[in-house]
Amino acid sequence: MLALGIYPERLKFSLIKPIYKSGDKSSASNYRPISLLPAFSKIFEKVIPKRLFDHLNNNVILNEHQYDFRSEVSTENASYILLNEILSALNNKQMVGGIFCDLHKAFDCINHAVLLGKMKFYGVSGKFYNLVKSYLDGRYQKVILSRNNGIESTWEKIKQGYHRDQFWDPFFSNLFKRLAKFSIHWNQNPFVCGRYQYNSN
């Protein structure tokens, strides 16, 4: 598989088990979808994202102000740096503003073509690129509420997003949310703006 750059078709089927989180149990948005995958596929789903994430780190592609899904940094680092930026700006008589954005169900909205384009832009190519492309293409899933009562959906093709797990999340999240710090001027007054990212979910 790694040598050919082709992900086996039989490993592209996943069963979705909704796990209740909180709130109204009759609302589908209050359930977290858990993907049940073939055991053999989990081996490769651990190796492939790790290699991709190592590529991002080794080539210094990730922005220094990304704090989610990265080792040795946390909300404490983000809070400290943000507070320091605000106090420094106030001491220098600069304007300070805050915009907080919540990307609701961001993982479910990832466009495969955009993701693959970003990977190619950041140097992922050849058989490894083809392997990830093959992994994303032609995947199917169905929701199972109760196996005993036969309550389940039909198989449907995944057109965007991906099944969330501890191995793919760091790579997809950091690649898609790669942002940069910047500064602008508004009415001749310096307005300092820093982007700090952290996934609270």
Side-chain angles (χ1 to χ4, degrees):
M1 179 171 67
L2 296 176
L4 297 176
I6 301 176
Y7 202 81
E9 296 292 328
R10 296 293 293 271
L11 301 182
K12 294 184 180 182
F13 292 81
S14 59
L15 303 176
I16 306 300
K17 179 70 174 178
I19 302 299
Y20 173 70
K21 294 187 297 183
S22 61
D24 183 6
K25 288 189 175 182
S26 63
S27 175
S29 62
N30 292 327
Y31 290 79
R32 178 187 298 277
I34 301 299
S35 298
L36 305 178
L37 305 169
F40 186 69
S41 70
K42 293 183 180 180
I43 299 174
F44 296 99
E45 298 214 8
K46 183 176 182 179
V47 173
I48 297 173
K50 184 181 184 305
R51 291 190 179 183
L52 290 169
F53 199 65
D54 287 344
H55 172 77
L56 297 181
N57 282 324
N58 295 338
N59 292 279
V60 198
I61 293 174
L62 297 178
N63 185 274
E64 62 178 329
H65 293 300
Q66 288 184 227
Y67 297 96
D68 54 340
F69 297 114
R70 301 186 68 179
S71 60
E72 301 180 0
V73 292
S74 66
T75 49
E76 292 182 1
N77 300 91
S79 299
Y80 170 79
I81 295 175
L82 177 60
L83 183 60
N84 185 62
E85 289 271 353
I86 293 173
L87 293 176
S88 296
L90 292 175
N91 288 335
N92 292 323
K93 301 185 183 305
Q94 293 176 310
M95 296 181 65
V96 177
I99 299 176
F100 301 89
C101 180
D102 177 20
L103 300 177
H104 186 60
K105 298 187 180 299
F107 291 100
D108 299 330
C109 302
I110 289 180
N111 182 283
H112 294 171
V114 174
L115 176 63
L116 293 170
K118 281 180 172 283
M119 288 177 55
K120 186 171 290 186
F121 179 81
Y122 290 121
V124 179
S125 59
K127 292 181 179 178
F128 209 74
Y129 170 86
N130 292 335
L131 179 61
V132 178
K133 185 176 185 298
S134 175
Y135 171 84
L136 293 172
D137 185 49
R139 298 192 66 88
Y140 290 83
Q141 64 182 18
K142 72 174 179 178
V143 178
I144 294 182
L145 297 181
S146 174
R147 280 192 168 182
N148 296 331
N149 299 325
I151 304 177
E152 59 185 49
S153 69
T154 59
W155 288 104
E156 296 291 340
K157 187 175 183 178
I158 301 176
K159 298 179 180 179
Q160 65 181 26
Y162 70 99
H163 69 270
R164 296 194 57 185
D165 63 29
Q166 60 180 316
F167 305 124
W168 281 110
D169 281 0
F171 173 72
F172 286 155
S173 172
N174 282 298
L175 184 62
F176 240 75
K177 296 186 295 183
R178 184 185 181 277
L179 299 173
K181 180 183 178 182
F182 66 95
S183 62
I184 60 175
H185 284 74
W186 177 48
N187 291 339
Q188 305 303 317
N189 295 317
F191 184 90
V192 177
C193 179
R195 297 182 180 181
Y196 305 94
Q197 303 170 339
Y198 186 82
N199 189 337
S200 61
N201 190 5

